[in-house]
Amino acid sequence: MKPIRMFGPLRSRFMLKPVPILPPLRPIDTVADDEAKLETKVQGWIEKVGEARARSAATLAQERTGSTTLPELLAEIYLRGVGARYRAQWDYGWARPDFVVFDAPGAPGAAMIWRVQGDYWHGTAEAQGRDAAQRDMLFNEQAEGAAVARVIDLWESAIYASDEVFDLAYHQGVEQARV
């Protein structure tokens, strides 16, 4: 079969290109598939933080609040537990801190930014340089009319160890040094 020629004075010499064969679509996951994937994650989480904390994180993950990683979920569980007023995944356009906490005892009348930092991704010298520059810029921002008074990095390994890192951040406005 000959290819179809395009008609018209300007395109009379050009042939239409054949349409490529499209790959088959992957079926959409069912609710059962999603639950099975979450249960697989939870088994890994249990090894890191214990059964109770892992199950609490799984319950919160199903709410789809914006927190997606285990350390973020644990931070949000803590904030809910102390009755904090906060916003997850605050968007400044140029940065998206994990949490903005308002009027905490560690920063009364102001906003406190919590950045949940993964040991692997934020541990390199290059990432630390970017994070330091971002920290400086965040101090010039506001959230819901409140000036940012504290920018606190919460490290993954400290979060897995206990809630002490959250207590220091929320109540005293102090960050625990990276181990």
Side-chain angles (χ1 to χ4, degrees):
M1 179 160 102
K2 290 173 121 182
I4 301 171
R5 289 189 174 270
M6 295 183 74
F7 297 104
L10 298 176
R11 301 198 184 226
S12 62
R13 290 181 275 157
F14 300 102
M15 303 292 199
L16 287 176
K17 294 180 182 175
V19 176
I21 297 172
L22 298 174
L25 295 175
R26 187 174 85 62
I28 297 175
D29 288 344
T30 64
V31 172
D33 293 335
D34 284 344
E35 288 173 353
K37 285 180 185 177
L38 182 60
E39 187 56 34
T40 301
K41 277 186 184 179
V42 170
Q43 293 307 314
W45 293 352
I46 288 171
E47 294 173 16
K48 293 179 182 177
V49 297
E51 178 93 22
R53 290 176 83 198
R55 294 285 172 203
S56 296
T59 302
L60 182 60
Q62 291 175 329
E63 290 182 33
R64 301 187 190 279
T65 61
S67 299
T68 56
T69 65
L70 178 58
E72 290 172 0
L73 291 165
L74 294 172
E76 191 162 0
I77 289 167
Y78 178 85
L79 290 169
R80 285 183 174 191
V82 295
R85 191 168 77 81
Y86 69 95
R87 297 286 179 268
Q89 302 298 318
W90 186 272
D91 189 6
Y92 282 113
W94 57 271
R96 187 183 293 263
D98 299 302
F99 298 97
V100 177
V101 184
F102 300 98
D103 204 28
M112 179 188 322
I113 291 181
W114 283 14
R115 300 187 305 175
V116 177
Q117 307 286 45
D119 293 324
Y120 178 80
W121 293 110
H122 292 272
T124 66
E126 182 181 327
Q128 289 173 358
R130 276 194 316 267
D131 290 342
Q134 184 188 66
R135 173 189 289 269
D136 293 341
M137 291 169 53
L138 286 168
F139 277 115
N140 297 320
E141 293 292 340
Q142 291 188 349
E144 293 185 3
V148 173
R150 302 256 192 284
V151 177
I152 297 179
D153 291 337
L154 305 169
W155 289 95
E156 175 184 23
S157 53
I159 291 170
Y160 290 164
S162 73
D163 283 347
E164 181 184 347
V165 66
F166 301 133
D167 287 332
L168 286 170
Y170 185 73
H171 294 289
Q172 297 175 24
V174 176
E175 73 181 44
Q176 190 175 31
R178 182 171 178 237
V179 192

